[in-house]
Amino acid sequence: MSIVNIYFHDENIYNVEKKPPEKPPKPPLYHSRFERQVRQETKSCKDAHRTMGFSKIPLQTPSEFLKKNCGPRYRATKSAPVRLCTGHKPPVPKPNETASGEPVGQVMKIVDFKKENIKKVVTASPKKVRPRYADTRKGDFHDLEKSGLMPIYVCKPKFGKVPQYLTRRKKDLTAQKERLIEQQAQQKPRCSYISQEERVELLRGLKQNWEKLQQEYQSLPLLTDTVPKMIRKAKLESTLKRLEKDILTIENNPYIYIYDDDHKETA
């Protein structure tokens, strides 16, 4: 190690903090040489446009109150009338002229409306009396056609006939039934029958599997002191029971049908 002896130093702990940097002085503002002249001109223009009136409005004396017809009168200037319709309608035609202004060539026919009305009344066919019925002794009349007592619907040409919409409906139903029968005939049967030979072979295979599992079950150790042994024994017992049940069902049922689960899911 080396020892350094310091005999003189100019450090000061009070000057450890950093002082902010000094800002440079701003440059002097620009002053135009016409500044005084512009101010004088603007002041002179403002004085010329002072039109706000007196600072204090002088009040009128009590004798100078507002009298009738003493105020200022304003007369409205008369302007030309505004016409919305620029064009004029044609003049009314004269008795011896038509609407277009041409003279009438033919003599107008004079019609006697009284005689015409008399002729119409004489030649007209008499009005038919509406059939009515009275249901009380006081003479309360009602319309007979709307009562249902007259055979109105029986006399119609369509009475007793089957409507067309019902015949169309029946045709549609029969066609729909035929289509369903055709679709069912085209579909394959979901159940398939097992023949006796297949049944015997299936029964033989199940018995062979049962015998193999029975031999394996009998070859198990007597002590089942571990968990894997217990699981294996339970599994063999469950499979043997299931095989015995299947063999019993096949022996008791000579006719067996197989149902297709895949076909059911697709349908």
Side-chain angles (χ1 to χ4, degrees), residues 24-243:
K26 291 183 179 181
L29 295 174
Y30 172 75
H31 292 281
S32 177
R33 60 180 179 175
F34 303 105
E35 184 178 359
R36 191 176 297 174
Q37 184 180 355
V38 170
R39 286 182 180 178
Q40 290 179 358
E41 287 179 358
T42 53
K43 193 174 181 180
S44 62
C45 293
K46 283 183 179 179
D47 293 339
H49 292 283
R50 288 180 179 175
T51 57
M52 298 298 291
F54 298 101
S55 59
K56 292 183 180 180
I57 299 171
L59 299 175
Q60 294 181 356
T61 57
S63 61
E64 294 178 355
F65 60 89
L66 188 62
K67 297 178 182 179
K68 188 178 180 181
N69 298 327
C70 291
R73 294 185 179 182
Y74 301 99
R75 293 182 180 181
T77 57
K78 292 183 179 180
S79 60
V82 180
R83 292 184 179 180
L84 299 175
C85 185
T86 56
H88 296 282
K89 292 182 179 180
V92 179
K94 295 179 181 180
N96 56 355
E97 291 180 356
T98 59
S100 60
E102 298 176 357
V104 180
Q106 296 180 0
V107 181
M108 294 180 67
K109 186 179 179 180
I110 299 170
V111 181
D112 194 354
F113 292 101
K114 289 183 180 180
K115 292 181 180 180
E116 292 290 334
N117 292 336
I118 290 167
K119 285 181 182 180
K120 286 181 182 180
V121 171
V122 171
T123 56
S125 59
K127 190 177 181 181
K128 293 182 180 180
V129 180
R130 296 182 67 183
R132 296 183 296 175
Y133 71 97
D135 57 350
T136 58
R137 61 181 182 177
K138 293 182 180 180
D140 295 334
F141 293 102
H142 300 280
D143 196 359
L144 187 62
E145 293 180 356
K146 297 179 181 179
S147 64
L149 300 173
M150 290 181 68
I152 297 170
Y153 296 100
V154 178
C155 299
K156 288 186 176 182
K158 294 183 179 180
F159 180 76
K161 294 182 180 179
V162 181
Q164 292 182 358
Y165 73 92
L166 287 177
T167 55
R168 289 196 299 270
R169 181 65 178 165
K170 286 180 180 178
K171 288 180 181 178
D172 294 339
L173 288 172
T174 52
Q176 189 175 2
K177 286 180 182 178
E178 290 176 358
R179 286 197 298 271
L180 287 172
I181 291 166
E182 290 178 358
Q183 289 177 1
Q184 289 176 1
Q186 291 175 1
Q187 288 178 359
K188 294 180 180 179
R190 296 183 182 179
C191 296
S192 61
Y193 173 69
I194 295 177
S195 62
Q196 291 297 327
E197 296 176 356
E198 292 177 352
R199 178 173 169 275
V200 171
E201 289 179 1
L202 181 63
L203 190 62
R204 190 184 302 159
L206 289 172
K207 286 181 178 180
Q208 288 177 0
N209 291 334
W210 184 83
E211 288 175 358
K212 288 179 181 178
L213 290 173
Q214 185 69 18
Q215 290 178 2
E216 190 177 352
Y217 181 75
Q218 288 177 357
S219 63
L220 289 173
L222 296 173
L223 290 174
T224 54
D225 52 352
T226 60
V227 175
K229 291 179 181 180
M230 295 170 65
I231 293 169
R232 187 181 179 191
K233 185 179 180 182
K235 190 175 181 181
L236 288 170
E237 287 176 354
S238 64
T239 51
L240 284 168
K241 286 179 182 179
R242 188 169 64 253
L243 284 170

Side-chain angles (χ1 to χ4, degrees), residues 188-195 198-199 202 250 255-264:
K188 294 180 180 179
R190 296 183 182 179
C191 296
S192 61
Y193 173 69
I194 295 177
S195 62
E198 292 177 352
R199 178 173 169 275
L202 181 63
I250 291 169
Y255 302 103
I256 299 171
Y257 292 90
I258 297 173
Y259 191 80
D260 192 2
D261 294 332
D262 298 335
H263 184 73
K264 182 180 179 183

